[in-house]
Amino acid sequence: MAQRSSPTVHYEVPVLAVCFLACIATGLELSVNNQAADFSLSTLPGPPVSLSCLVQNSSQAEELLWYRGDGRVDLKDGNKVNISNICISPVTESDNGVTFTCKLARDKSVQVSVILDVQFPPRLTGEESLQIEEDQDVTLTCNAKSNPQAQTSWYKNTTTLTLQEDRHQLYQTSAVSQLSIRKVQKSDNGTYTCVMKSSLGEGRKDFHLIVEDKKPVFPKEAVIAAAVVVTLTVLFGIVARKDKIFKVW
């Protein structure tokens, strides 16, 4: 008995699919300043910073995009294809923590980001005078950003301030340090100094606190009552002298 043979089936792969798979295999990537992954760039205020974005493993012209945070950076026509450069000049303290991202125009998931790490000492100088009555609360505030973050110390008359839990309260963030004193007394008179120190330097500010005698407070109701009495007395006086006034006329 003759054995039947199965017909041969030919499968053809479209040329477009082969090219697509080959493109994936090549692993199209970007690099910024020769870094293929996100990174942080440390710098100081003043000198410019240059960022260069390059397309890796590409056999065709690829358009590049730059972003500062969420905002698009305008690029000249000759600075968009396969390689693109931007310059941040001058670098300022406000650039600290800002992210710059280079993206592939046709596939924005292909990207590399750079976070600027702008380092600067605390900027803190000057002095301030405060006059406050006894038993009032007062807050002394030092505003000073720094990177790296500064450590803050408080002094009274050049001596480290001894904090009293029930009267003193400290509050500090990366940009501000506050000393609050509850119900100030005459013994709180003096010069308070806020000193902020980091590895790059230090800053300080003086507060001259003058505690004044507490002014006597008159009850509002008593003041109003006194005013009413004075007004009525004047009116009654005018009425009582009415006849004499008319006789003169």
Side-chain angles (χ1 to χ4, degrees):
M1 185 176 180
Q3 190 174 12
R4 298 174 61 185
S5 59
S6 300
T8 302
V9 179
H10 298 281
Y11 295 95
E12 295 184 359
V13 179
V15 176
L16 181 60
V18 173
C19 291
F20 178 72
L21 292 174
C23 182
I24 293 179
T26 58
L28 193 64
E29 293 182 349
L30 301 181
S31 67
V32 173
N33 291 10
N34 298 320
Q35 301 282 339
D38 297 347
F39 66 100
S40 177
L41 180 62
S42 296
T43 186
L44 298 173
V49 167
S50 296
L51 302 176
S52 180
C53 184
L54 178 66
V55 180
Q56 306 282 355
N57 306 321
S58 176
S59 59
Q60 63 183 38
E62 298 286 354
E63 182 182 356
L64 295 171
L65 308 173
W66 273 103
Y67 290 82
R68 176 190 170 101
D70 295 327
R72 179 93 168 263
V73 177
D74 290 332
L75 299 173
K76 293 183 179 180
D77 290 339
N79 188 30
K80 295 181 179 180
V81 179
N82 288 349
I83 184 170
S84 180
N85 302 292
I86 61 172
C87 181
I88 301 96
S89 178
V91 173
T92 66
E93 295 175 6
S94 62
D95 292 318
N96 183 49
V98 175
T99 300
F100 290 86
T101 304
C102 180
K103 297 184 179 184
L104 196 67
R106 68 182 177 91
D107 183 359
K108 294 182 178 61
S109 65
V110 180
Q111 62 180 40
V112 176
S113 293
V114 184
I115 300 176
L116 287 190
D117 176 31
V118 184
Q119 301 190 350
F120 53 93
R123 314 289 187 191
L124 187 64
T125 58
E127 56 185 286
E128 183 178 338
S129 294
L130 300 96
Q131 295 180 333
I132 189 165
E133 293 181 17
E134 284 184 288
D135 291 335
Q136 298 294 315
D137 297 341
V138 66
T139 298
L140 313 180
T141 301
C142 285
N143 293 302
K145 292 183 178 180
S146 64
N147 183 35
Q149 183 173 339
Q151 299 297 317
T152 304
S153 301
W154 284 90
Y155 298 84
K156 181 184 178 184
N157 298 330
T158 71
T159 302
T160 301
L161 178 65
T162 301
L163 299 178
Q164 300 177 24
E165 186 176 352
D166 59 334
R167 298 192 60 240
H168 297 113
Q169 183 176 1
L170 286 178
Y171 171 78
Q172 182 166 351
T173 67
S174 61
V176 65
S177 178
Q178 290 182 332
L179 169 65
S180 296
I181 306 174
R182 296 183 65 251
K183 295 186 176 181
V184 296
Q185 305 166 1
K186 287 287 188 177
S187 59
D188 293 317
N189 270 314
T191 298
Y192 294 79
T193 304
C194 167
V195 179
M196 290 185 165
K197 292 183 179 180
S198 76
S199 57
L200 297 179
E202 72 172 56
R204 62 178 57 218
K205 182 177 181 179
D206 291 331
F207 298 86
H208 305 292
L209 181 62
I210 302 170
V211 181
E212 300 177 331
D213 292 332
K214 188 174 181 180
K215 295 182 178 64
V217 178
F218 295 99
K220 185 178 179 181
E221 293 79 4
V223 174
I224 295 174
V228 171
V229 170
V230 171
T231 303
L232 291 175
T233 301
V234 172
L235 289 175
F236 287 144
I238 293 173
V239 171
R241 295 171 59 101
K242 180 177 66 174
D243 295 338
K244 292 183 179 179
I245 294 174
F246 286 134
K247 286 179 180 179
V248 172
W249 285 97

